[in-house]
Amino acid sequence: MGLYDKFSRLAAERTHFQDAGPSPFGTRMDAVYSPTEGRIGDQDVILAGTNNYLGLTFDAQAIEAAQQALAVEGTGTTGSRMANGSYGGHTALESEIAAFLDRPSVMVFSTGYVANLGIIGSLAGPREVVLLDTDCHASIYDACTLGGAQIIRFHHNDAKDLERRMLRLGERAKDALIIVEGIYSMLGDTAPLKEIVDIKRRLGGYLLVDEAHSFGVMGPNGRGLSEALGVEADVDIILGTFSKSLAAIGGFAAGRSSDMEVLRYASRPYIFTASPSPSVVASVRSALQAIATRPELRERLWNNADRLYDGLARLGYSLGPHASPVVPVMVGTKEQGLRFWRALIDQGVYVNLVLPPATPAGVTLVRCSVSAAHTPEQIEQIIQAFLVLRPLAGLAG
Ligand code: PMP
């Protein structure tokens, strides 16, 4: 038995999908021209499969801030904050996120994945129970495995199911950790946070909301779903990433109390990995400023989301539950999905192909995502491509 033998089925399936044309498992962007335009091979494409919700990857001020940091502080920190010390930018960024979210404690991590490992994996040990939405991101599951917590999954977005499972826990519910996401990245739907907060008020527990896809996107000030629903005071920890609306790489956790600070000395994924590079920190600080001072970005994003959702719904496509910056389109079997995804590239539109088991309920979907940087003309071009491809999706031509 070789080390790689256990992957032979996976390898065979991947080969099967690589027979002809671009592969959805390792697409090479041969050029990226802007937040919304790129090239795959010889084909120019509109980028409609990113998490670049506010379109800030090419923001002139963020680029200038990053260039300045590169010139002054160099390309990398070459070590962890615990061993090598924090740069001024790390602590400034933590203070700025804390001020933006009005929270006493913020820890910055090297990615959002690592933030989940570092917070959940440290807080939820073998004696703790974690109640998590079935559709939670892999990093949340991995974090529970790392910490060794008992995992109880509740049905996706089903607060009643959460309540039933909390009740079964009896006294243990008081110390349980409930984990949900702001916007779920596959279907673009949002957690029923008001109902969940109500359960927490009655039965106890701690609430962690991963706002990876909703930070900068939802709420009057862009603070996420918790802000949009007016329940920030009931959320114990907000998790976020720098890789979506903040347009770089990294992650953060924001605590409702400064008790979280102790994790700087206990969280292995915080201690034993290199800290974010100065240029990354500088561009994130600039992007955070943009979120705080340019609400028109969010307005444009939601206009684009509504426009795309309505356009595809009018064409008869089967979509997610409501308009959001993530617009999933159900396209039948894996094979149909792959054909459809490739045909979209031929039409000049790049989206994400998502296959089961990565999708909820075993559906195959092409996941479109919109950006504030898409022009109305680009949204129209995306809709036109879906119009042309209706027969491929089994809709009348
Ligand atoms: N949490 C959620 C809900 C996510 O969707 C993602 C990434 N897609 C992450 C965490 C990980 O974030 P990062 O890319 O910064 O590692």
Side-chain angles (χ1 to χ4, degrees):
M1 179 83 178
L3 268 184
Y4 294 99
D5 289 354
K6 54 185 168 292
F7 302 114
S8 53
R9 245 190 72 195
L10 180 66
E13 188 175 75
R14 292 309 185 241
T15 310
H16 170 68
F17 280 116
Q18 266 158 1
D19 50 358
S23 158
F25 313 112
T27 310
R28 195 177 74 204
M29 286 293 156
D30 291 291
V32 176
Y33 306 121
S34 76
T36 59
E37 294 156 311
R39 179 168 54 77
I40 298 173
D42 296 329
Q43 179 69 56
D44 280 340
V45 286
I46 297 173
L47 302 177
T50 70
N51 302 306
N52 200 354
Y53 299 123
L54 299 182
L56 291 173
T57 48
F58 282 76
D59 182 72
Q61 283 174 357
I63 289 174
E64 198 189 317
Q67 284 171 336
Q68 178 80 8
L70 264 174
V72 172
E73 293 182 297
T75 52
T77 65
T78 74
S80 81
R81 291 170 68 180
M82 185 61 79
N84 302 37
S86 294
Y87 283 34
H90 294 129
T91 47
L93 175 57
E94 285 176 342
S95 302
E96 286 157 11
I97 297 171
F100 180 71
L101 291 175
D102 195 18
R103 293 193 155 230
S105 173
V106 167
M107 288 171 71
V108 160
F109 291 84
S110 302
T111 69
Y113 182 94
V114 170
N116 272 332
L117 293 189
I119 296 294
I120 301 167
S122 308
L123 287 176
R127 285 151 54 142
E128 273 78 33
V129 178
V130 178
L131 292 131
L132 50 85
D133 186 292
T134 310
D135 284 3
C136 274
H137 188 256
S139 57
I140 296 171
Y141 280 93
D142 291 356
C144 293
T145 305
L146 180 70
Q150 181 191 343
I151 303 177
I152 300 177
R153 301 193 303 171
F154 59 91
H155 297 314
H156 177 55
N157 274 352
D158 186 342
K160 284 258 171 303
D161 191 39
L162 169 65
E163 181 167 8
R164 267 193 300 275
R165 290 170 197 269
M166 291 275 283
L167 284 169
R168 257 184 244 151
L169 281 176
E171 277 299 299
R172 294 184 77 198
K174 291 201 168 65
D175 295 324
L177 179 61
I178 304 164
I179 305 180
V180 297
E181 295 181 18
I183 293 179
Y184 286 88
S185 59
M186 292 297 139
L187 294 181
D189 51 349
T190 51
L193 265 192
K194 279 192 171 165
E195 289 88 330
I196 289 170
V197 160
D198 176 59
I199 293 167
K200 185 197 147 189
R201 282 185 190 156
R202 287 185 285 112
L203 302 181
Y206 294 81
L207 177 59
L208 183 151
V209 181
D210 184 337
E211 301 258 21
H213 292 266
S214 38
F215 183 86
V217 166
M218 299 192 75
N221 296 291
R223 302 209 294 242
L225 179 68
S226 315
E227 186 196 18
L229 297 181
V231 297
E232 284 170 289
D234 291 280
V235 178
D236 295 283
I237 298 177
I238 288 178
L239 249 298
T241 172
F242 301 157
S243 69
K244 306 187 195 310
S245 59
L246 288 164
I249 184 165
F252 71 86
R256 189 163 67 99
S257 98
S258 50
D259 289 351
M260 199 183 78
E261 286 294 315
V262 72
L263 294 186
R264 290 191 199 272
Y265 314 103
S267 169
R268 295 169 70 85
Y270 177 81
I271 298 168
F272 292 107
T273 197
S275 58
S277 302
S279 55
V280 163
V281 171
S283 82
V284 171
R285 290 178 67 191
S286 176
L288 184 64
Q289 272 296 310
I291 290 178
T293 57
R294 292 164 63 191
E296 67 275 12
L297 292 174
R298 252 183 329 279
E299 199 177 316
R300 250 185 267 149
L301 171 68
W302 282 97
N303 284 341
N304 283 343
D306 288 341
R307 202 186 287 258
L308 183 64
Y309 190 91
D310 292 346
L312 298 185
R314 241 181 287 119
L315 294 178
Y317 282 96
S318 172
L319 307 176
H322 51 73
S324 106
V326 175
V327 182
V329 186
M330 322 298 161
V331 283
T333 64
K334 286 183 185 181
E335 283 72 20
Q336 283 171 312
L338 180 63
R339 233 177 298 134
F340 196 89
W341 177 83
R342 281 182 180 150
L344 271 176
I345 293 180
D346 292 340
Q347 293 291 320
V349 175
Y350 172 73
V351 298
N352 312 119
L353 176 65
V354 198
L355 303 176
T359 50
V363 297
T364 295
L365 51 89
V366 292
R367 172 191 181 274
C368 309
S369 60
V370 297
S371 168
H374 282 124
T375 62
E377 292 73 31
Q378 286 175 324
I379 299 289
E380 199 45 50
Q381 278 171 291
I382 299 169
I383 296 169
Q384 281 302 313
F386 275 88
L387 169 67
V388 172
L389 297 183
R390 270 165 50 107
L392 257 192
L395 301 165

